[in-house]
Structures are given as C-alpha cells and as structure tokens.
C-alpha cells in the first residue's frame, strides 16, 4: 500500500478476476484506488473481504464461470 500512503492514487472502478478451485469469477465495476504513476490497482480491505466472500460462495455453489457487477 506504499502508493496509497503517498496519496498518488485516484479513485476508479476496475474489473477483478478471481479463480478459486474450479470457479472463475469476473467482478465488474469494483471500486479501487489506482496509482497515477504506474497504474497499479489497490482494493480496500473491506472490498477485498467482500470479493473473497462472494468467491467462497461461488465455489460452494459449484460455479464454473460467473460474471458479476460488484455491489457493496
Ligand atoms: Zn505506483
């Protein structure tokens, strides 16, 4: 989170792909901080936790591939 502390990021939305076991999840419209210098993307701990929860749920449901619009 070095870039974040430097205040060199801008707010934006990104697409995140998560692969867990046999499941691939594509989350669109995920809020993120994007580094103005290198384009690296940072998720807040809260957003990260929600993504992982949804991923675990998809694995449980036996999803192969799912495309989701992220909603907090
Ligand atoms: Zn950077």
């Amino acid at each position: 989170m070095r870039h974040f502390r430097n205040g060199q990021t801008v707010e934006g939305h990104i697409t995140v792909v998560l692969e867990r076991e046999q499941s691939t999840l594509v989350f669109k419209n995920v809020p993120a901080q994007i580094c103005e210098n290198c384009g690296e993307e940072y998720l807040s701990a809260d957003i990260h936790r929600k993504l992982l929860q949804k991923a675990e749920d998809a694995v449980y449901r036996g999803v192969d591939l799912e495309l989701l619009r992220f909603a907090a």
Side-chain angles (χ1 to χ4, degrees):
M1 301 295 275
R2 178 163 37 95
H3 305 276
F4 183 75
R5 288 205 197 93
N6 288 346
Q8 306 260 345
T9 60
V10 292
E11 301 221 12
H13 290 85
I14 63 172
T15 297
V16 176
V17 179
L18 282 182
E19 290 183 272
R20 306 283 282 193
E21 300 178 29
Q22 305 301 314
S23 301
T24 301
L25 304 183
V26 182
F27 293 96
K28 302 194 78 173
N29 205 45
V30 179
Q33 295 288 329
I34 302 164
C35 178
E36 286 186 314
N37 293 328
C38 65
E40 199 157 347
E41 299 155 344
Y42 299 93
L43 300 176
S44 72
D46 185 49
I47 298 293
H48 191 241
R49 183 173 49 77
K50 284 174 179 164
L51 286 177
L52 292 181
Q53 278 177 356
K54 290 172 194 287
E56 295 295 337
D57 178 62
V59 170
Y60 179 76
R61 287 185 285 119
V63 166
D64 287 321
L65 173 65
E66 200 161 82
L67 175 61
L68 301 156
R69 175 175 287 268
F70 185 82

